[in-house]
């Protein structure tokens, strides 16, 4: 073979080999590019999926309000537990809406409606309340009813009834609070008499059953109502609130004291001299003129501590002590009254603290007997011990002399105070206050929130639609002087009344039927006493 032929053959072999290699390389390059593209695409998908998963996990962790029931419960808790106003509840929910997963935060009027409907729910569910059984020989529903009245702006006067388990001190170690009581009825009227109160309680007994006892202050109308119920064979033992009893004792012994008015007026003048000075921190506490003896011990304690800042002896001119002495007015002349009052009041207040926390039983009465031996007035000591032993007989008759009988109605007093300050604004309308009192007792639950959503607008308007609002009257009359006479023509309007319906009575098998013909009274102290020994 010639050299040229060999070169041609070698070139052809090289060309075939280079062509096959180039085809293989092109194929590998295409596959590599495809794999790289697919890899990048999968990486992007993986990163996007991871991001979505993290976002979903974070959203699920911070998503608190998933249903409308949760939103209602949260709004009720903010108003009733955190105790912020309706507008503040709406603002807080607007602020937390992104974090809580709330699509649309409620307006203040929606929160108001939910609170009113919660009151309706709790009144409707009142017949289902259950308590530990009492003595079968004395039929009762196992609850102590706290009864009290309160006034507000306008002609309306509120009557409320709270229900407390008679065995509270067996179940709980502390004094009763809002979470332990239930508002089972509330009504507003232009005036309340003994006959009207008795009729209202009789209607309530027909639904709830006869209470184990009544707990009240020393009001004459309430005493007459309990006496009328007893005459109708619907009576129950009566418990006198210890705070009012002690206040009445102190009033009886010190109101006519020759130095008492001097002491009170001196405290007022001292307050005026201390204000707007460097001694303003020593100003006396504010004590209301009405029911003064409920808190007069605070004023007396302040006076005793203030006088202790001015020891006997001289004071350099221009010193703080000399400035203080110029402000004391006639307060130093009342030292004897202050010491005597504190010697009587402090043991009584210590006994009051023990009885409120643990209830009245043999052990707490024995503790009080030891404390009152240091009192200055023997007659006051005897009167207080008589009160304790009389109510110990009632506790024994009810079977509560070993576990403790509730003897304080602070819960209903605090309920009125909270109702007048929380969620009513500057216009203290009695009907508006009354619509919210049942909601202020107890802690809101999810079951109650579901029932709140179950109440329609028509049902709410049926209860509250006929009420005349003082705010509406103000807006209607002030800009239009010609409508002044409409206040007189529309004065006789319907007031609020929330009471459990009789149709719910059959749903509670624990309520015992009332025996109207029983000749035996419920306990030795079934009648209320009009005065104290």
């Amino acid at each position: 073979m010639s050299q040229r032929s060999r070169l041609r053959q070698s070139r052809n072999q090289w060309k075939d080999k280079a062509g096959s290699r180039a085809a293989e390389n092109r194929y590998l390059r295409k596959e590599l590019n495809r794999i790289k593209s697919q890899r990048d695409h999968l990486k992007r998908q993986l990163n996007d999926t991871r991001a979505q998963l993290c976002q979903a996990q974070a959203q699920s962790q911070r998503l608190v309000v998933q249903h409308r029931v949760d939103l209602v419960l949260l709004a009720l808790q903010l108003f009733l537990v955190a105790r912020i106003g309706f507008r503040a509840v709406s603002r807080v929910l607007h602020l937390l809406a992104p974090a809580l997963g709330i699509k649309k935060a409620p307006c203040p009027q929606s929160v108001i409606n939910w609170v009113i409907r919660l009151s309706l729910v709790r009144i409707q569910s009142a017949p289902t309340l259950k308590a530990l059984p009492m003595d079968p020989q004395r039929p009762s529903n196992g609850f102590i009813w706290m009864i009290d009245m309160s006034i507000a702006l306008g002609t309306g006067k509120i009557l409320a009834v709270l229900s407390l388990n008679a065995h509270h001190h067996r179940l709980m170690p502390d004094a009763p609070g809002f979470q332990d009581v239930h508002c089972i009825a509330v009504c507003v009227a232009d005036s309340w008499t003994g006959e009207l109160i008795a009729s209202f309680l009789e209607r309530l007994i027909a639904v709830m059953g006869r209470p184990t006892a009544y707990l009240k202050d020393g009001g004459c109308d309430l005493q007459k109502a309990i006496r009328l119920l007893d005459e109708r064979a619907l009576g129950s033992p009566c418990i006198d609130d210890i705070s009012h009893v002690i206040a009445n004792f102190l009033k009886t012994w010190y109101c006519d004291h020759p130095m008492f008015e001097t002491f009170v007026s001196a405290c007022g003048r001292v307050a005026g001299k201390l204000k707007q000075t460097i001694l303003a921190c020593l100003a006396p506490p504010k004590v209301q003129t009405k029911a003064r003896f409920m808190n007069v011990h605070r004023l007396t304690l302040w006076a005793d501590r203030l006088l202790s800042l001015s020891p006997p002896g001289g004071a350099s001119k221009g010193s703080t002590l000399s400035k203080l002495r110029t402000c004391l007015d006639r307060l130093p002349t009342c030292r004897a009254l202050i010491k005597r009052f504190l010697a009587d009041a402090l043991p009584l207040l210590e006994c009051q603290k023990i009885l409120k926390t643990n209830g009245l039983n043999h052990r707490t009465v024995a503790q009080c007997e030891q404390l009152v031996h240091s009192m200055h007035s023997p007659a006051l000591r005897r009167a207080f011990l008589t009160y304790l032993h009389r109510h110990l007989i009632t506790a024994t008759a009810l079977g509560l002399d070993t576990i403790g009988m509730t003897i304080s109605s602070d819960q209903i007093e605090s309920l009125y105070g909270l109702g007048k300050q929380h969620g009513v604004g500057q216009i203290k309308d009695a009907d508006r206050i009354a619509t919210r009192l049942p909601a202020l007792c107890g802690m809101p639950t999810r079951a109650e929130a579901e029932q709140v959503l179950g109440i329609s607008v028509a049902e709410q308007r049926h209860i509250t639609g006929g009420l005349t609002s003082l705010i509406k009257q103000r807006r209607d009359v002030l800009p239009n002087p010609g409508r002044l006479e409409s206040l007189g023509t529309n004065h006789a309007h319907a007031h609020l009344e929330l009471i459990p319906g009789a149709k719910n009575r059959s749903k509670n098998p624990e309520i015992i039927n009332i025996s109207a013909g029983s000749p035996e009274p419920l306990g030795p102290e079934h009648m209320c006493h009009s005065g104290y020994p």
Side-chain angles (χ1 to χ4, degrees):
M1 181 178 296
S2 62
Q3 186 176 3
R4 185 175 180 181
S5 299
R6 288 197 298 269
L7 290 173
R8 186 181 297 114
Q9 184 179 3
S10 175
R11 184 187 63 183
N12 293 334
Q13 293 176 353
W14 174 82
K15 289 172 66 176
D16 294 338
K17 191 174 183 179
S20 62
R21 186 185 297 123
E24 184 179 0
N25 288 340
R26 284 193 298 270
Y27 172 77
L28 291 177
R29 282 197 301 270
K30 290 179 180 180
E31 287 295 315
L32 183 61
N33 292 333
R34 184 183 63 81
I35 292 174
K36 286 183 178 180
S37 177
Q38 186 177 7
R39 181 201 61 186
D40 295 340
H41 178 68
L42 293 176
K43 280 186 177 181
R44 287 193 297 269
Q45 284 186 339
L46 178 62
N47 293 333
D48 294 341
T49 303
R50 286 177 177 175
Q52 293 176 2
L53 180 61
C54 293
Q55 184 179 2
Q57 290 178 349
Q59 185 176 3
S60 63
Q61 291 177 355
R62 64 184 179 182
L63 186 61
V64 178
V65 181
Q66 299 180 358
H67 305 284
R68 185 168 177 80
V69 176
D70 299 323
L71 177 60
V72 174
L73 178 60
L74 180 58
L76 293 176
Q77 288 175 337
L78 288 175
F79 179 76
L80 301 174
V81 182
R83 292 181 184 175
I84 60 178
F86 295 117
R87 290 184 176 87
V89 170
S90 180
R91 288 195 297 267
V92 169
L93 293 179
H94 273 286
L95 179 64
L96 300 179
L100 299 179
I102 301 175
K103 296 181 179 179
K104 182 179 180 182
C107 65
Q109 186 58 48
S110 296
V111 183
I112 293 175
N113 292 334
W114 292 341
V115 172
I116 294 176
R117 294 176 187 181
L118 178 61
S119 296
L120 301 181
V121 167
R122 289 183 170 174
I123 291 294
Q124 293 171 1
S125 62
T128 63
L129 298 175
K130 297 181 181 180
L132 294 177
M134 302 296 292
D135 186 358
Q137 300 298 327
R138 298 181 174 88
S140 66
N141 57 16
F143 291 96
I144 294 176
W145 285 3
M146 301 180 187
I147 312 172
D148 199 7
M149 294 179 292
S150 180
I151 60 175
L153 187 63
T155 59
K157 194 171 185 180
I158 310 172
L159 172 66
V161 182
L162 301 189
S163 179
L164 174 69
N165 194 333
H167 292 83
H168 170 81
H169 291 287
R170 172 185 292 178
L171 304 174
M172 299 293 178
D174 301 323
F178 282 154
Q179 69 278 5
D180 302 312
V181 296
H182 304 272
C183 184
I184 58 176
V186 60
C187 186
V188 181
D190 288 338
S191 63
W192 286 103
T193 62
E195 291 80 3
L196 292 176
I197 298 174
S199 300
F200 181 76
L201 293 177
E202 187 174 0
R203 293 167 51 201
L204 186 60
I205 291 173
V207 180
M208 299 291 298
R210 188 186 308 184
T212 298
Y214 295 101
L215 179 55
K216 61 168 196 59
D217 58 17
C220 298
D221 293 334
L222 294 176
Q223 292 176 358
K224 184 177 180 181
I226 304 301
R227 185 174 66 251
L228 292 175
L229 288 176
D230 187 73
E231 294 174 356
R232 302 171 188 175
L234 297 176
S236 295
C238 190
I239 306 171
D240 297 318
D241 173 58
I242 186 171
S243 300
H244 289 82
V245 168
I246 291 178
N248 288 338
F249 283 160
L250 295 176
K251 182 178 180 179
T252 302
W253 262 263
Y254 286 96
C255 185
D256 297 331
H257 193 281
M259 292 297 297
F260 183 76
E261 289 299 330
T262 302
F263 168 72
V264 174
S265 59
C267 290
R269 289 191 293 269
V270 170
K273 294 179 180 180
L274 291 176
K275 293 177 180 179
Q276 309 301 324
T277 67
I278 61 172
L279 301 175
C281 62
L282 304 178
K286 184 178 180 180
V287 177
Q288 297 180 356
T289 304
K290 186 177 180 181
R292 173 184 294 166
F293 281 87
M294 295 286 288
N295 298 298
V296 72
H297 62 278
R298 299 177 182 175
L299 193 63
T300 313
L301 281 172
W302 164 83
D304 182 62
R305 294 174 180 175
L306 186 67
L307 292 177
S308 65
L309 298 178
S310 177
S316 58
K317 186 177 181 181
S319 64
T320 306
L321 179 58
S322 64
K323 296 179 181 179
L324 175 62
R325 288 180 175 176
T326 58
C327 299
L328 293 180
D329 198 74
R330 297 188 61 187
L331 199 60
T333 62
C334 304
R335 288 181 185 268
L337 171 65
I338 295 172
K339 297 296 183 183
R340 177 180 173 181
F341 185 89
L342 291 178
D344 285 335
L346 293 182
L348 292 177
L349 294 175
E350 188 64 27
C351 293
Q352 175 180 289
K353 181 179 179 181
I354 294 174
L355 294 172
K356 286 183 177 181
T357 304
N358 303 311
L360 186 140
N361 53 40
H362 291 288
R363 180 175 56 84
T364 55
V365 170
Q367 293 177 357
C368 293
E369 288 177 346
Q370 296 177 359
L371 289 173
V372 298
H373 285 310
S374 61
M375 293 176 59
H376 182 274
S377 304
L380 182 56
R381 178 173 63 249
R382 289 193 299 270
F384 182 68
L385 291 177
T386 302
Y387 160 79
L388 291 181
H389 288 98
R390 188 177 73 240
H391 282 74
L392 186 59
I393 296 174
T394 302
T396 303
L398 298 176
L400 302 175
D401 56 318
T402 57
I403 62 176
M405 180 179 71
T406 303
I407 201 170
S408 171
S409 62
D410 285 353
Q411 294 73 33
I412 195 168
E413 301 283 350
S414 301
L415 180 64
Y416 279 130
L418 180 62
K420 293 179 181 180
Q421 297 177 1
H422 188 42
V424 294
Q426 298 180 353
I427 308 298
K428 312 299 181 181
D429 191 342
D431 290 303
R432 294 175 63 210
I433 295 172
T435 56
R436 294 155 194 180
L437 291 182
L440 296 174
C441 298
M443 301 289 291
T445 62
R446 182 178 176 84
E448 290 178 331
E450 293 177 354
Q451 296 177 14
V452 165
L453 291 177
I455 295 181
S456 63
V457 177
E459 292 176 343
Q460 179 181 343
R461 289 181 178 176
H462 178 71
I463 302 296
T464 61
L467 303 179
T468 300
S469 172
L470 297 183
I471 295 180
K472 293 180 180 178
Q473 291 180 338
R474 176 191 289 262
R475 292 173 179 172
D476 183 55
V477 174
L478 283 180
N480 305 290
R483 298 183 182 179
L484 180 62
E485 294 299 327
S486 64
L487 295 178
T489 57
N490 298 330
H491 175 69
H493 61 275
H495 286 295
L496 178 74
E497 180 182 286
L498 296 179
I499 186 171
K503 62 180 180 180
N504 295 329
R505 180 176 174 82
S506 60
K507 297 180 181 179
N508 186 10
E510 298 295 328
I511 296 180
I512 303 174
N513 292 329
I514 303 169
S515 177
S518 175
E520 297 182 0
L522 299 182
E525 292 295 326
H526 65 285
M527 294 291 290
C528 292
H529 299 271
S530 58
Y532 305 111

